[in-house]
Amino acid sequence: MKTLIATTLVAGSVLAAPMFAQAQNSTEVYGSVNYGQTRTRGTDTGAIQGRVGAKFTPNFGVEAEVAGGVDGDKVYTPGGAANVKMEHQAAAYAVGYLPVTPKLDLLGRVGYGTTKFETKNPAATEFDGSRDSWNYGVGAEYKLDDKNGIRADWTKSEYTKSDMSSNTMSVGYVRRF
């Protein structure tokens, strides 16, 4: 899966290179640190997220995201209670922007990722292991000044080869370089 994400990022960079060359003066590179709360089958897990991205035009960009779990939850299964934690997550996205004002952008994003959950109870096997997913979501970013901003978004992860899905709400600080 790590190879697939790396390949996707490289392919996206190659495909975006001509657009990057044309929009070189307006390309905006950014990074962000966020806290995300994820709900999966009645369990709530928390993670610290890091994102890096490039906004090539006022309406299009790409970003990569990694997250590390910091908070777990208990789920009750027919086999008993189990503590569930998201170990880590990685994803790559295409991002569309809708500038509303000079300081406020609405955004939508779609991408592919992987999430690893861990539980200590063998009865809760639907959570154990890595899950690949198609992800999509919406959000908003407010620019405090030319370099700093805040962002809030919602992302839905539809896991492949499973009937599980997750909803993640995140809020964080954005820094443009």
Side-chain angles (χ1 to χ4, degrees), residues 13-175:
S13 299
V14 169
L15 293 173
M19 185 168 37
F20 179 73
Q22 287 179 333
Q24 191 169 5
N25 294 336
S26 64
T27 298
E28 182 180 290
V29 177
Y30 63 89
S32 71
V33 177
N34 315 291
Y35 176 78
Q37 187 74 29
T38 300
R39 185 159 187 83
T40 308
R41 286 215 174 143
T43 62
D44 294 310
T45 58
I48 300 297
Q49 303 169 327
R51 296 176 182 159
V52 294
K55 189 174 175 183
F56 300 116
T57 73
N59 299 104
F60 178 75
V62 295
E63 68 184 19
E65 174 183 285
V66 294
V70 295
D71 187 25
D73 197 7
K74 189 176 282 190
V75 65
Y76 297 93
T77 68
N83 291 320
V84 176
K85 183 178 180 185
M86 179 192 4
E87 288 292 312
H88 55 78
Q89 185 177 48
Y93 295 91
V95 184
Y97 297 90
L98 177 62
V100 177
T101 70
K103 291 191 172 253
L104 178 67
D105 286 345
L106 299 180
L107 60 101
R109 62 189 199 146
V110 62
Y112 194 80
T114 185
T115 304
K116 182 177 181 189
F117 293 100
E118 180 184 52
T119 181
K120 303 283 191 249
N121 184 341
T125 57
E126 73 257 25
F127 287 102
D128 265 346
S130 293
R131 303 274 186 243
D132 296 342
S133 62
W134 289 102
N135 307 328
Y136 55 90
V138 295
E141 181 180 330
Y142 183 78
K143 297 173 181 119
L144 301 170
D145 57 33
D146 288 342
K147 296 286 185 186
N148 305 292
I150 55 174
R151 176 170 160 175
D153 55 49
W154 163 83
T155 303
K156 177 81 167 187
S157 298
E158 298 280 349
Y159 298 105
T160 62
K161 300 178 185 171
S162 170
D163 64 346
M164 282 187 8
S165 65
S166 295
N167 290 293
T168 302
M169 297 293 297
S170 66
V171 63
Y173 166 74
V174 179
R175 175 75 177 172

